[in-house]
Amino acid sequence: VGIVGRPNVGKSTLFNRLLGEKIAIVTPKQQTTRGRILGVLNLPNAQVLFLDSPGLHQPQHALGRYMLEVVKAVMSEADVLVAMIDARAGITADDERVFTRIRQSGRPALLVLNKADTVRKPKLLPLLERCARLNLFRELIPVSALLGDQVDVLLASILTLLPEGPRWYEEGQRTDQTLEQRISELIREQIMLATFEEVPGAVAVQIDTLESRERVTAIQATAMVERQGQKAILIGKGGSMMKKIGTEARAELERLLGRKVHLEIWVK
Ligand code: GDP
Ligand code: MG
């Protein structure tokens, strides 16, 4: 099941909600999700493989072009597409472009009108009518991925559209990301949350060492940015920004690993 849509509509929030676990990182900023992320949901009668994807947008640089390729791959790999719009924003030009690609893919698709918690019914109804006239989606489902409203209804609809097949992953496997990848993503999330303007989009995080000791897991990571000025912003006055990011990231990592974490982040 491929989850697709323009940036920031709430794809990763829904993905995590469906899986009942934080597998994809979430921020209010664009370019948060950069790659294809697999999440495996095991149910008594089904195994659903969800693919989270970067926001579909007109690429302006190499990272954007790469992200577009990722979305295309997700669309061709999925048996079912879950397209998402922001119910508060309605249908934007970027959404129209997403719809065009869905039409071209020929895949069965559902439309999720997310952030329903932010709009009143009278505003939602005309939007639903407009979406129905597109003649593209099997169902239109208003949800709040943030609050979890109607996500069970969505899941039930998804299940009716899935083809039969074997369970591809073992029960315990929830994603195909390595532990290093998940750690680096959680650190990048905190950097993106703490910084502004061009910094969030310019950051990459690399895990240098990951060492499980008796009482604590020790992690050394490098945060890389593109320019000297961004490095200064990321470090902050007297290291204050990095200290804040490190504290938040450590809390997230302790949640993921279920044990104490010692975290050092270098900026390059
Ligand atoms: P993505 O870029 O489509 O993956 O969007 P994210 O999942 O990263 O979410 C973008 C922003 O929208 C974040 O700040 C989320 O907290 C917020 N968001 C996601 N779903 C909802 C929702 O149902 N209601 C509200 N109010 N905000 C949401
Ligand atoms: Mg995302």
Side-chain angles (χ1 to χ4, degrees):
V1 180
I3 304 177
V4 296
R6 67 177 173 83
N8 261 310
V9 289
K11 297 178 294 298
S12 297
T13 305
L14 176 72
F15 174 84
N16 289 337
R17 177 65 71 175
L18 284 160
L19 292 155
E21 183 181 339
K22 181 166 169 184
I23 294 177
I25 62 169
V26 170
T27 84
K29 287 155 197 165
Q30 301 210 356
Q31 304 189 341
T32 302
T33 310
R34 292 178 181 169
R36 152 200 175 288
I37 302 178
L38 170 75
V40 182
L41 179 65
N42 285 299
L43 299 169
N45 58 346
Q47 180 174 72
V48 191
L49 309 183
F50 287 102
L51 297 176
D52 189 15
S53 68
L56 197 60
H57 65 291
Q58 311 275 74
Q60 268 149 25
H61 28 60
L63 177 60
R65 285 192 292 278
Y66 168 77
M67 284 159 60
L68 177 59
E69 290 309 311
V70 172
V71 182
K72 284 194 206 162
V74 164
M75 284 187 142
S76 66
E77 213 180 341
D79 294 309
V80 174
L81 294 174
V82 171
M84 181 181 276
I85 62 172
D86 178 336
R88 188 172 35 182
I91 300 173
T92 68
D94 285 336
D95 294 322
E96 305 264 14
R97 278 189 277 273
V98 175
F99 298 161
T100 302
R101 286 189 186 272
I102 290 176
R103 212 178 279 285
Q104 287 165 350
S105 79
R107 298 281 191 282
L110 300 170
L111 182 67
V112 167
L113 296 86
N114 191 33
K115 311 196 185 182
D117 55 288
T118 63
V119 287
R120 291 174 187 279
K121 266 231 173 82
K123 218 190 134 195
L124 201 56
L125 291 176
L127 179 58
L128 281 165
E129 276 169 27
R130 209 182 142 199
C131 294
R133 280 199 297 276
L134 294 168
N135 248 325
L136 179 57
F137 299 104
R138 302 292 178 95
E139 275 181 76
L140 312 172
I141 308 173
V143 314
S144 169
L146 190 67
L147 304 178
D149 294 342
Q150 296 287 102
V151 172
D152 52 342
V153 173
L154 169 65
L155 181 59
S157 297
I158 290 170
L159 290 176
T160 64
L161 294 176
L162 290 179
E164 276 189 29
R167 287 182 189 259
W168 284 9
Y169 290 85
E170 286 176 33
E171 283 282 324
Q173 193 171 359
R174 308 298 315 279
T175 177
D176 60 354
Q177 293 183 93
T178 63
L179 187 59
E180 277 86 351
Q181 283 171 326
R182 292 188 75 176
I183 290 169
S184 106
E185 284 287 271
L186 287 172
I187 296 170
R188 188 165 65 84
E189 179 182 48
Q190 292 309 322
I191 294 173
M192 290 190 70
L193 285 172
T195 56
F196 295 95
E197 289 170 19
E198 87 274 30
V199 181
V203 173
V205 176
Q206 169 188 303
I207 305 304
D208 302 316
T209 65
L210 172 62
E211 205 182 286
S212 195
R213 298 185 189 145
E214 201 178 326
R215 285 204 172 72
V216 30
T217 297
I219 298 166
Q220 287 181 316
T222 305
M224 278 161 288
V225 283
E226 291 167 347
R227 280 193 291 276
Q228 205 61 31
Q230 297 166 343
K231 179 176 170 180
I233 293 171
L234 203 49
I235 292 170
K237 266 209 176 75
S240 56
M241 176 65 97
M242 219 47 237
K243 191 170 173 213
K244 178 179 170 222
I245 290 167
T247 305
E248 303 285 338
R250 182 161 50 80
E252 285 289 325
L253 295 174
E254 289 183 343
R255 233 187 315 269
L256 173 70
L257 298 171
R259 65 203 308 259
K260 283 237 167 294
V261 166
H262 181 78
L263 176 64
E264 278 174 49
I265 308 172
W266 305 94
V267 183
K268 283 190 189 162

